[in-house]
């Protein structure tokens, strides 16, 4: 074997090692990006559930007949709220499901079940007028 042949073989080996290292690093970067995207999507669904819970509380405060709804709170974020009254007056069981992004193959979903208690309206107390001080 000549020196040229040995140098060519070494060049091919070095290029193969560099190519394999580049492929491995690229694969790790893609996996990290997907992991970050999944984490962000999960966080978004948690925030959507919290917003939907506040929305359900406000709707129950406005109307005791509120039974829930399906809302698109974001362009790609869907929330399903289901409200059922409990046996106790003023107590409601609420189930909230959030999905984000709904049109993506790797959709994140979060579900929360909670109880919302609406206090009874306080009795109105009439102010009594006190007689003016005669001094």
């Amino acid at each position: 074997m000549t020196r040229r042949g040995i140098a060519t073989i070494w060049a091919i080996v070095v290029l193969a090692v560099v190519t394999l290292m580049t492929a491995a690093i690229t694969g790790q970067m893609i996996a990290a990006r997907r992991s970050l995207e999944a984490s962000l999507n999960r966080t978004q669904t948690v925030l959507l559930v919290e917003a939907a819970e506040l929305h359900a509380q406000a709707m129950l405060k406005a109307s005791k007949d509120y039974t829930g709804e399906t809302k698109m709170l974001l362009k790609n974020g869907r929330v399903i709220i289901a409200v059922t009254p409990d046996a106790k007056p003023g107590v409601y069981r609420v189930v909230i499901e959030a999905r984000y992004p709904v049109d993506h193959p790797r959709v994140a979903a979060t579900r929360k079940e909670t109880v919302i208690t609406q206090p009874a309206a306080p009795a109105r107390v009439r102010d009594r007028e006190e007689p003016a001080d005669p001094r």
Side-chain angles (χ1 to χ4, degrees):
M1 245 192 184
T2 66
R3 285 184 182 219
R4 258 192 193 164
I6 293 174
T8 303
I9 290 173
W10 272 108
I12 290 172
V13 168
V14 168
L15 285 175
V17 169
V18 169
T19 302
L20 290 174
M21 289 175 57
T22 303
I25 291 170
T26 302
Q28 288 178 346
M29 289 175 59
I30 290 171
R33 170 110 167 89
R34 285 184 180 161
S35 176
L36 176 63
E37 183 181 356
S39 177
L40 290 173
N41 289 346
R42 278 191 304 274
T43 301
Q44 186 64 56
T45 61
V46 169
L47 294 173
L48 284 169
V49 165
E50 289 177 10
E53 183 177 2
L54 293 174
H55 177 74
Q57 287 176 351
M59 294 301 290
L60 282 169
K61 191 171 186 179
S63 171
K64 304 299 181 207
D65 298 329
Y66 179 68
T67 60
E69 60 190 304
T70 299
K71 293 187 76 74
M72 293 293 285
L73 294 180
L74 295 173
K75 180 182 175 187
N76 291 325
R78 182 175 56 222
V79 175
I80 300 170
I81 305 169
V83 179
T84 54
D86 195 49
K88 298 177 186 175
V91 178
Y92 301 89
R93 298 199 179 279
V94 181
V95 178
I96 303 166
E97 292 181 24
R99 297 174 84 66
Y100 181 85
V102 293
D103 61 350
H104 197 274
R106 290 185 296 273
V107 64
T110 300
R111 177 184 168 99
K112 181 178 184 179
E113 296 183 24
T114 187
V115 174
I116 295 177
T117 304
Q118 292 291 333
R124 293 185 181 213
V125 178
R126 292 184 63 186
D127 291 334
R128 290 185 293 167
E129 290 186 24
E130 297 291 329
D133 191 13
R135 289 192 237 173

